[in-house]
Amino acid sequence: GACLLLMLSAGAALGPDDFVNSIVDLLKEPDKDLRAVACEQIREGTLGEDATRTFAALLPTLPPQVQVELLSALAARGDPVAAPEERKLREETESNDVRIAAVRALGKLGSADDLPDLVALLASPSADRKDAARRSLVELAGEEISAKITEMMRKSHPDQKVALIEILTQRRARTALDEILRQAKSDNATVRMAAMESLGIFGEPEHVAGMVEGVLKAEPGRERDTAEKRIMLVCHRIEDKQKQPAPLLAVMKNASDETHTILLSTLGRVGGPEAREVIEEAIRDPQRRRAGLEALCNWPHGSIAFRLLELARTED
């Protein structure tokens, strides 16, 4: 074992079959350090689907701790031909640790066929299984995966919908943005907040018009304040600070008087010279004065302080 360890660590020249057989022998060693060398070679030192099949076929013959180690190595190897053995082991094992490791491995080895099982695990009472499923749903590569998760999100119940919105956000699934925008107008407050949070993270200025509908749907108070801040984050992604309020002002231009007044609060959070002009105009209007004052109080930086001091001295 020690000689074999040195040979593998040094990258000694062996025939392909001998090299694979040597790794197989090391995996069966009771010494954890020897198995670690074998797993490292599985991750990076051997190529080809035949070798992957040989390693994956060992899974049912190994004790649980070694199964966990091998699953991690196969996942890092990223060869999907190991997936059938991984799925079989996940269904048959009685070890919770092995089951969790198998779910984690799906992020690198799985396919769209695994999505229903992974999504179902998001409701697992086991926090570890839930976290493993979430991580695999984030890691599974491809636009097809994002599209299928989006479709499942659209049809799911609110708790699951929130989890899938968060996963799509971590995936930066831009193809999901239209559906996430629709969810920002959901009748469920938790779903609305998750959707607006998502849009605040990776939405673009072109989505501001849709996000405004989310602000108007939000309950006044904490939910609406949070939704307004998400629009602020998106507008502030515009490099030219002079143009940051433009997407919101375009919506307000054609809005009803009532909607225009409601959106002053959001406009104040975005800031900018054009926003200031619109807000000052509102302050001069007795019917919209309070909304204008509150909008100024939302200003994103301290440059407005002197104007607020002036208003503090002159207001009733």
Side-chain angles (χ1 to χ4, degrees):
C3 291
L4 191 53
L5 171 61
L6 290 171
M7 292 171 65
L8 288 174
S9 298
L14 293 173
D17 292 340
D18 290 337
F19 191 54
V20 169
N21 290 335
S22 298
I23 293 170
V24 169
D25 289 339
L26 280 183
L27 281 172
K28 298 176 181 179
E29 288 283 342
D31 188 302
K32 186 175 181 179
D33 291 335
L34 291 174
R35 297 198 308 270
V37 172
C39 287
E40 185 61 29
Q41 294 301 320
I42 291 171
R43 288 184 179 92
E44 300 179 356
T46 54
L47 302 176
E49 293 183 357
D50 289 342
T52 303
R53 290 191 183 93
T54 298
F55 300 138
L58 289 174
L59 282 168
T61 71
L62 300 170
Q65 176 56 40
V66 186
Q67 288 175 331
V68 170
E69 295 168 4
L70 180 54
L71 282 166
S72 176
L74 288 169
R77 185 179 178 85
D79 191 339
V81 300
E85 290 290 349
E86 178 275 338
R87 294 187 187 105
K88 184 178 178 183
L89 179 63
R90 178 164 52 90
E91 292 173 0
E92 297 178 354
T93 185
E94 296 181 1
S95 166
N96 187 53
D97 289 342
V98 172
R99 190 172 289 111
I100 290 168
V103 173
R104 286 177 178 166
L106 282 176
K108 300 297 184 185
L109 304 178
S111 68
D113 293 337
D114 296 300
L115 289 177
D117 286 345
L118 289 172
V119 170
L121 281 170
L122 295 176
S124 171
S126 165
D128 289 336
R129 291 187 198 178
K130 187 184 299 185
D131 289 345
R134 181 184 292 269
R135 190 171 83 174
S136 286
L137 284 165
V138 172
E139 290 179 348
L140 277 168
E143 291 188 5
E144 177 197 8
I145 300 293
S146 292
K148 288 184 179 296
I149 293 174
T150 303
E151 181 63 17
M152 295 174 80
M153 180 267 286
R154 186 178 67 81
K155 298 177 180 179
S156 60
H157 59 77
D159 288 347
Q160 191 177 77
K161 190 168 288 188
V162 168
L164 292 177
I165 288 172
E166 292 170 352
I167 286 163
L168 288 165
T169 304
Q170 288 183 271
R171 291 178 65 87
R172 294 299 190 271
R174 294 191 56 78
T175 54
L177 281 168
D178 286 346
E179 183 58 39
I180 293 173
L181 275 169
R182 280 190 280 274
Q183 297 304 323
K185 299 177 286 182
S186 168
D187 290 333
N188 184 283
T190 306
V191 173
R192 290 197 302 266
M193 292 177 73
M196 290 298 286
E197 178 71 22
S198 173
L199 293 163
I201 290 172
F202 79 126
E204 297 293 340
E206 69 221 49
H207 301 120
V208 166
M211 293 178 73
V212 163
E213 295 184 53
V215 168
L216 298 174
K217 183 80 173 183
E219 289 291 332
R222 188 175 73 89
E223 184 191 348
R224 182 169 289 177
D225 289 346
T226 301
E228 290 177 355
K229 290 173 185 176
R230 299 302 167 255
I231 288 184
M232 176 195 73
L233 290 173
V234 173
C235 288
H236 284 182
R237 293 197 184 109
I238 299 173
E239 291 187 11
D240 186 343
K241 293 185 177 182
Q242 303 293 318
K243 296 179 180 179
Q244 287 178 348
L248 183 55
L249 287 169
V251 176
M252 295 175 70
K253 182 178 180 180
N254 298 314
S256 67
D257 290 344
E258 180 183 3
T259 297
H260 189 285
T261 300
I262 291 172
L263 293 177
L264 287 171
S265 177
T266 309
L267 186 63
R269 297 185 193 279
V270 176
E274 286 188 74
R276 175 75 179 274
E277 290 177 12
V278 172
I279 292 169
E280 292 287 359
E281 182 181 347
I283 291 173
R284 292 191 292 271
D285 181 344
Q287 293 184 336
R288 297 188 298 149
R289 187 174 186 80
R290 182 178 181 86
L293 291 171
E294 290 178 350
L296 278 189
C297 291
N298 288 340
W299 208 253
H301 45 79
S303 64
I304 205 69
F306 291 106
R307 176 60 174 143
L308 291 176
L309 286 169
E310 179 185 10
L311 289 166
R313 287 193 298 267
T314 59
E315 285 296 300
D316 292 339

